[in-house]
Amino acid sequence: MPYNQANMDERDNYFAPNYQNYQVPVTPPGLEAIYSACRKLYPDQPNPLQVTALVKYWLGGPDPLDYISMYANPGDPDKGVPPHWHYISFGLSDLHGDGRVHECQGTDGPSGFGFELTFRLKREPGETNPPTWPATLMQALARYVFQTENKVYSGDHVPWHIPLDGSESRVQHMLMADDPSLHPITTPFGPVCFVQIVGVCTEELQAAQHWNGPGVIELLRSISQAGGPWLITDMRRGESIFEIGPTLQEKVDSGIEQEGSNLSGVNSKCSWEEPGENDRDSLSFKDGIVDDDEDDAERGHISIIESDQIKSTLSRGLDPHLQSKIDGFNRPRSRKGSFDSVESSDAPTELLRTRTLEFVHLKFNLEAASLLPLALRGRLRHGRHFTFMSATNDSAITLVSPSVNGSIADEEHPFAAHGLWLQVLLADDFIEEMCIDLQELSNPADLLLPKTYRWPERRLCITILPDEA
C-alpha cells in the first residue's frame, strides 16, 4: 500500500525541527535504583544475563517480574562461600511510578510491595551459563504475591512440596532471609529490601514451622553444606542439617522450650462438640448436668458472614488490637497478610452469638494431634494461643492460655463458642498436666487408634482418630 504523501510531508515537517531535541528514553527511576545497587555489587558485570517477560504484566502478560538478572558471583573461599549464581528480581517494587502496575504511594510508604526477591544457587564445576529454572520459581512466587497481595518477609517459610528445580532433589521447600550483600535501598518511590529465597529440606521446613524461621536460618548459616553464611542453595544436597549435625535438633527443641513456637495455627482435620447427657457417661463426664437443647442444625450450617468473621478474627489474633499472629510472626503484615494468613472481613461481630459450654469433646486426626504437645509446650506455656482450623468446614478450635488478651473464654467459663469457633482456656496447671498426658503424641507411630484422653474434673476429653478416618 503506497504511503499518503501529505502524511509523509507532515511527518517530515514534524521531525525536522525536533530531531535535535530527541532523547533516548531513560531507564524508569525505580528500575534504575535497583540497577545502581547491582552495579555497586557487581561493577565488572554491567550487562548481566537476564530473563525477561515477553509480554509485560502491565500489558496483560502472565509474569509480574519485568526482569530477573543473573550474576556470576565468585564466592569467598576465606568465608566459606562457594562460587554461585545470584538472581535478582525486578517488579515486586514500583519500577515506573506512574500507576501502571503499583498504586502511587509517594515516598512515605514502601515502593510497590516493598521488596524484591533474590536467590543464590551453587555453581556447578564447569558451568558457564546460569540455569533459568530459578527465574521460573521467582515468577511463581511473584504471581502469588500479586494475586493475594500477601507480602513475603525474612523469616517466612514457604511449603512447596516438590523439588525446586523439578529434579529428584530433597530440597523441596523455601525459607526467606535477608540477602547478605544486597541491603535495603531508597528509591524515588519508597524503600525496597531484598528477600532471599533459601531452598530447604522437609525436616528443615518442619523445624521452622515448629520453632521459627529465623532460628532455622541461623542453623543453616552454621553448616557450609546447607547454605553457609550466604545461604547458598545446593540442589545436590542429600542430607538435612539434622543429619549433618545431629546435635542441631537439640537446639531446635531447646529453642521451643525457652522461646516458644512461632507456629500459631494450622489447617487440620478437627471437630468439636458439646456432648449430650447420654454421651457424658460414656465419656466419663459424671460430675454435673447441663441443659443440652442446642439446635444441632445451627452447627451444620454457617453463613458466609459468619465464616468471614471467624477468619477475620483468626487472622488478627484473639485481640483485635493485636497484630496478626496466625502465621506466627508478631509484626504487621502486608496489604492482606502472608503465606499462612487468612483473608479478613469487616463483617460485624454482633452477628455471631457467643455462648458458654460446660462440657467439650475435641476430635483430631493423628496428624493434627501430633501437634498438640507442640501447641502446649511451645505456645500455651509461653502465654500464647494455638488454633486448629478445620480443613473440611468452617469450624475452628483455639487453645488459649490465661494470659491471652481478648479471649471470649475465661477461668469461670473455660469453654466458649462464637458460632463454629470454639475457644478452650487451659489453666496453667492443666497445661502441665496435659503436657505429660499427651507426650506420647510427639512420636505416635505405635499408638492404637482411636484413643480418647479424659479429664473428667476438667469436663474435657480429646479423641484421636486415624488419618484416614
Side-chain angles (χ1 to χ4, degrees):
M1 176 180 297
Y3 290 106
N4 182 288
Q5 186 61 47
N7 290 339
M8 291 289 290
D9 291 342
E10 290 174 3
R11 189 188 66 173
D12 292 342
N13 292 335
Y14 173 81
F15 276 105
N18 291 285
Y19 182 79
Q20 59 184 0
N21 297 323
Y22 176 76
Q23 296 180 347
V24 176
V26 297
T27 304
L31 184 63
E32 177 57 35
I34 302 176
Y35 275 152
S36 177
C38 293
R39 284 194 294 267
K40 291 178 182 178
L41 191 60
Y42 297 103
D44 59 333
Q45 300 178 59
N47 297 300
L49 292 174
Q50 280 189 330
V51 174
T52 303
L54 295 179
V55 180
K56 297 295 185 284
Y57 194 69
W58 37 275
L59 293 175
D63 297 322
L65 302 177
D66 283 5
Y67 311 100
I68 298 168
S69 290
M70 302 177 288
Y71 293 91
N73 191 302
D76 188 337
D78 294 336
K79 296 181 179 179
V81 178
H84 59 276
W85 302 109
H86 193 191
Y87 300 76
I88 301 168
S89 76
F90 297 80
L92 285 161
S93 63
D94 193 347
L95 304 180
H96 305 277
D98 56 8
R100 71 180 69 182
V101 178
H102 299 279
E103 295 180 6
C104 298
Q105 305 181 66
T107 57
D108 294 335
S111 172
F113 288 104
F115 73 99
E116 293 289 351
L117 293 170
T118 73
F119 183 66
R120 295 176 186 266
L121 178 66
K122 185 178 179 181
R123 187 173 180 176
E124 298 299 331
E127 197 170 48
T128 57
N129 291 310
T132 57
W133 64 261
T136 303
L137 181 70
M138 295 166 81
Q139 289 284 17
L141 278 178
R143 278 193 293 273
Y144 169 84
V145 173
F146 271 82
Q147 290 167 7
T148 65
E149 296 189 345
N150 293 335
K151 292 184 182 181
V152 175
Y153 290 88
S154 175
D156 282 356
H157 60 268
V158 182
W160 206 247
H161 301 293
I162 57 172
L164 303 186
D165 63 350
S167 67
E168 297 182 357
S169 173
R170 289 185 63 181
V171 179
Q172 302 185 7
H173 310 280
M174 292 169 273
L175 297 184
M176 299 295 162
D178 294 323
D179 190 287
S181 59
L182 264 180
H183 304 300
I185 61 173
T186 299
T187 78
F189 312 126
V192 176
C193 65
F194 297 90
V195 180
Q196 181 172 318
I197 300 167
V198 184
V200 296
C201 302
T202 298
E203 297 86 345
E204 295 149 4
L205 171 74
Q206 292 172 344
Q209 291 173 327
H210 291 185
W211 180 24
N212 60 62
V216 175
I217 284 291
E218 290 309 308
L219 296 183
L220 291 167
R221 290 186 196 276
S222 69
I223 304 293
S224 59
Q225 304 99 301
W230 285 14
L231 300 169
I232 297 166
T233 298
D234 180 3
M235 294 304 298
R236 295 179 180 270
R237 176 160 66 98
E239 295 178 304
S240 73
I241 57 174
F242 305 110
E243 293 165 319
I244 298 171
T247 61
L248 295 183
Q249 185 61 53
E250 297 176 6
K251 292 187 177 182
V252 174
D253 295 339
S254 176
I256 294 173
E257 290 289 344
Q258 296 176 18
E259 305 164 19
S261 170
N262 271 13
L263 182 68
S264 64
V266 293
N267 287 312
S268 61
K269 292 183 179 180
C270 63
S271 64
W272 63 270
E273 63 182 0
E274 183 178 17
E277 185 175 345
N278 294 332
D279 295 328
R280 291 170 196 162
D281 288 338
S282 64
L283 293 170
S284 298
F285 289 135
K286 299 180 180 179
D287 52 342
I289 299 174
V290 296
D291 185 15
D292 189 56
D293 58 357
E294 293 292 334
D295 184 1
D296 290 338
E298 177 188 42
R299 236 175 247 156
H301 178 268
I302 185 169
S303 70
I304 294 176
I305 292 178
E306 289 173 330
S307 174
D308 286 345
Q309 179 57 40
I310 289 174
K311 293 176 180 178
S312 173
T313 308
L314 286 174
S315 72
R316 294 194 302 269
L318 296 180
D319 185 336
H321 300 292
L322 296 178
Q323 298 167 352
S324 171
K325 291 183 178 181
I326 193 64
D327 66 343
F329 294 98
N330 300 324
R331 48 177 164 67
R333 303 305 297 173
S334 66
R335 302 176 186 176
K336 288 188 179 178
S338 186
F339 273 93
D340 303 311
S341 67
V342 292
E343 291 187 2
S344 63
S345 168
D346 295 324
T349 57
E350 61 269 18
L351 292 179
L352 285 181
R353 183 166 59 89
T354 299
R355 61 192 179 95
T356 60
L357 298 80
E358 294 197 33
F359 302 86
V360 165
H361 184 192
L362 309 181
K363 298 179 182 180
F364 300 95
N365 73 333
L366 185 59
E367 182 180 13
S370 67
L371 292 174
L372 281 169
L374 171 71
L376 293 167
R377 65 189 180 93
R379 296 291 298 178
L380 275 73
R381 262 186 182 174
H382 296 267
R384 304 173 188 174
H385 59 85
F386 192 93
T387 297
F388 294 90
M389 298 179 65
S390 174
T392 57
N393 56 45
D394 286 313
S395 65
I397 301 167
T398 296
L399 308 178
V400 300
S401 68
S403 59
V404 170
N405 294 324
S407 173
I408 59 175
D410 55 38
E411 294 185 5
E412 184 179 355
H413 302 99
F415 311 127
H418 201 54
L420 292 187
W421 177 21
L422 174 70
Q423 293 184 22
V424 178
L425 186 142
L426 302 177
D428 290 336
D429 62 330
F430 192 20
I431 292 173
E432 296 306 317
E433 181 181 351
M434 292 182 70
C435 282
I436 296 172
D437 294 343
L438 300 180
Q439 181 56 40
E440 63 182 348
L441 293 176
S442 297
N443 298 289
D446 298 327
L447 208 61
L448 295 177
L449 301 177
K451 181 170 183 176
T452 298
Y453 300 86
R454 300 175 177 86
W455 297 273
E457 71 284 0
R458 309 281 186 172
R459 303 188 178 191
L460 173 69
C461 69
I462 297 177
T463 296
I464 314 303
L465 302 169
D467 285 333
E468 60 272 13

